Structures are given as C-alpha cells and as structure tokens.
Amino acid sequence: TRPEYTRNIISGSYGYTWNIRKKFFIRFTPFQANIVKVFNLDTTFFNNLTDPYLKNSYKDHFDIGVGANLYYTTDPSVNPQKSYFYLRYQADVAGNIISLFNKSLKTNEFGERLIWGSPYSQYFKMELSGVYTFKFGADASKMLVVRLLGGVGKGYGNSKVVPFEKLLWGGGAYSLRGWQARTLGPGYAPKDSLFKLPNQTGDIRLEGNIEFRFPIAWLLKGAIFADAGNIWTFNRKNDSLNQFDKRGVFKFNNFYKHIALDWGVGLRLDITFAILRLDMGFKSYNPATSQWIPLSKIFRGNNYEITFGIGYPF
C-alpha cells in the first residue's frame, strides 16, 4: 500500500534446487507466475506522469515465465577462516511461451494481448554479482570485502517496459548507503516529486562496493566502507511523444560521469545467529546536482543517511 496506489500480487512457482560438490548451487524454476492488480490508483498522480513507459508499468498485468539462480563459492562453510570468493547470477524470462498463442488471445485498446483480462508481461531480467573477501590477521577477524554488481532488464513483445516490481533501483542498506532506498538516479535525473514516497527506478544497474571490517570489543564490530554506482534507463527510441527524462538514459560514452559516490562508517552486533547492522553513509558525489560534497557539508540537508540492516550488505 502506497499513497499513490494499492497493489495486490498473487504469486506461485515450482522449481528444483541442487548442488555440485557443495560449491555450485543451482535453483531452476521452470514455472513462476504473478498476477498483479492495481487498486486505488491516484488519477492525479497517474495523469501527471509524463513518461508513457512509466505509465505503462502501472497497469494490471499477468507474469508467467522461467527463472534460474546460480551460486558458486570457493568456501561453502558457514564461517570461512580463509579468503574466499562467490559469484551469483539470477535471471528471469517471462512471456515467451504465452506469445506462441497470441493469435487466440484477446487484445485491449493498446494492442496488448490479455490473460484473464490483464496484459501479460514479456521481458527478461538478469543480475550478476561477484564478491571477494580477503581475511587477514592472527585470527582472520579482519576482512576487506569487495563487490561488483550489474543488472539489466528490458521489456519486449507484449510489454514496452519491465513490470514495476521487477525494475531496478539503488540506495539503502544493501546498496549505496549514502542514499535512502529508491532515491538514487536514474542517471543524473533529480528525484521525481510526483511520488510521495521515493520510487526512482531504472532498467540498468551498475555498482561497486568496498568495505573493511574489524573487531572492536566482545560482540561489537566496526566497518569503514565506500560505494559507487547508479541506475539508468534505456533510450526509448520508439516513444513518439518523446516525453521521458533523457537525463536517466544510459550512454556508453558518458555513463561514468553519473556514477554516484559515498563513504561511511558502521557498527555490527554479532549475536551468532544474526548480524545487526547500523551504517552511516555520506554522499561524496551526487550526480543529480553534479556536485562533490565537501567534508564541511556532509551533515547538512540530505547529504547523509543512516540505515539499519540484518546481516552483512554483501
């Protein structure tokens, strides 16, 4: 439930999981489905959306497809005593099987094929992340952790855009911690004032993180970290209205200019069965304003963020 709309989702899936030598874990879901219905949509909010692609994402839709999750680690133990690496890949593809029956499906006024009165979604989405943890010290209690992450999603066929519950976003306790969740990007576009709660989303996500973890006393541990990244949208060439915000478009020749940067410090309480985490992140470079934030201003306005999380961010 949000101020702009209420969304109901019914989901179901069936899949298989197995592992190879306890280092390579596979989850394959040959069937996964979502039925999404939007209620109480604020007409003022909807009519003020200038991006027709964004409008399209706030519709009822039916999502059926397949998914896969691959995970590889060099050390599967609960608490590795040596440096280790893991790689995670996740992919979802929807709508291709249904598209084989397009000729027998009804259409709406926009030419979209319908299932149970709602357009079915057709898209792909994939994310890849790699994390290396360097352990050192006499008891391997100090760690330097590096993560690289990339994601992309694109609608095609019966969908102009990826469903809104599948769109990518940045910020928050498990992303760039100098930003509140869903307030970053896309590109150097400013935060959309139409949303009463932040909801900045995109089609592409790139991120890098580095964190040094060290013991303090008893169950308390500390961390110093830095994050970099952003989200972007694809260039919507078929948009005849040409109303979408081009400041969020991903371009190979200049996307690096819109990488957001932050740094921060954190505390972790290790109670064995869980890690309780408190982080304070400070913006270093804000692409929305194209400004570097000097140390003298890190506590002003929205230049810092305090986040709480369960478990390590990566």
Side-chain angles (χ1 to χ4, degrees):
T1 300
R2 291 177 57 94
E4 302 90 0
Y5 60 86
T6 299
R7 181 184 63 183
N8 289 354
I9 305 177
I10 300 175
S11 301
S13 64
Y14 182 83
Y16 304 87
T17 61
W18 66 93
N19 72 80
I20 300 173
R21 297 181 180 178
K22 295 183 179 181
K23 287 189 174 182
F24 188 34
F25 298 83
I26 304 169
R27 184 175 74 233
F28 176 61
T29 309
F31 172 81
Q32 54 186 21
N34 295 306
I35 302 174
V36 180
K37 291 287 186 180
V38 180
F39 301 92
N40 304 324
L41 182 61
D42 187 323
T43 54
T44 302
F45 158 78
F46 186 75
N47 292 332
N48 285 335
L49 290 172
T50 58
D51 186 344
Y53 282 77
L54 193 57
K55 274 190 173 183
N56 192 71
S57 68
Y58 286 91
K59 292 181 179 179
D60 297 343
H61 60 272
F62 182 82
D63 179 345
I64 183 170
V66 300
N69 193 314
L70 310 179
Y71 176 82
Y72 170 76
T73 179
T74 58
D75 191 336
S77 58
V78 177
N79 186 22
Q81 297 303 306
K82 297 181 180 180
S83 299
Y84 66 98
F85 169 80
Y86 74 79
L87 189 70
R88 177 180 284 113
Y89 173 76
Q90 182 177 347
D92 293 296
V93 180
N96 291 345
I97 295 178
I98 297 179
S99 67
L100 299 176
F101 304 94
N102 274 349
K103 293 183 179 180
S104 60
L105 298 177
K106 294 181 179 180
T107 61
N108 60 16
E109 65 271 26
F110 305 105
E112 298 167 318
R113 305 288 175 171
L114 306 178
I115 298 287
W116 295 339
S118 299
Y120 74 84
S121 297
Q122 193 169 7
Y123 66 91
F124 74 86
K125 177 186 175 183
M126 58 186 68
E127 291 185 275
L128 177 66
S129 62
V131 177
Y132 203 108
T133 300
F134 300 89
K135 289 202 165 190
F136 49 92
D139 54 357
S141 59
K142 298 178 182 178
M143 293 176 277
L144 181 66
V145 189
V146 180
R147 178 178 71 166
L148 294 176
L149 179 150
V152 61
K154 187 170 179 59
Y156 59 93
N158 206 52
S159 299
K160 293 181 179 180
V161 69
V162 176
F164 53 73
E165 69 271 10
K166 298 287 186 177
L167 288 168
L168 300 167
W169 52 273
Y174 302 90
S175 181
L176 273 81
R177 285 160 279 184
W179 276 260
Q180 182 183 354
R182 295 180 178 267
T183 61
L184 177 62
Y188 61 104
K191 188 170 71 172
D192 194 333
S193 60
L194 287 176
F195 293 92
K196 297 177 182 178
L197 296 176
N199 195 37
Q200 306 292 97
T201 55
D203 308 309
I204 300 169
R205 179 185 174 192
L206 295 175
E207 192 171 312
N209 318 83
I210 185 168
E211 181 170 294
F212 176 60
R213 302 168 184 166
F214 53 90
I216 297 179
W218 193 44
L219 303 179
L220 191 64
K221 299 180 180 180
I224 302 172
F225 61 83
D227 308 309
N230 206 335
I231 60 170
W232 292 266
T233 60
F234 283 113
N235 189 14
R236 294 155 187 175
K237 296 179 181 179
N238 296 326
D239 179 11
S240 59
L241 296 178
N242 205 29
Q243 292 179 312
F244 72 97
D245 196 333
K246 294 183 179 180
R247 290 174 291 185
V249 173
F250 181 89
K251 296 180 180 179
F252 281 102
N253 62 343
N254 67 359
F255 78 93
Y256 62 90
K257 296 179 180 180
H258 311 135
I259 296 290
L261 303 173
D262 69 40
W263 64 278
V265 295
L267 293 174
R268 289 91 171 87
L269 185 63
D270 187 349
I271 53 177
T272 306
F273 61 89
I275 301 289
L276 305 181
R277 176 167 53 90
L278 186 68
D279 289 327
M280 175 175 281
F282 304 95
K283 294 181 177 67
S284 295
Y285 179 75
N286 188 349
T289 59
S290 299
Q291 291 180 336
W292 290 91
I293 312 299
L295 292 177
S296 60
K297 296 183 178 180
I298 59 175
F299 286 107
R300 297 183 185 179
N302 62 345
N303 289 332
Y304 70 96
E305 194 69 38
I306 298 175
T307 58
F308 174 78
I310 304 295
Y312 287 121
F314 44 85

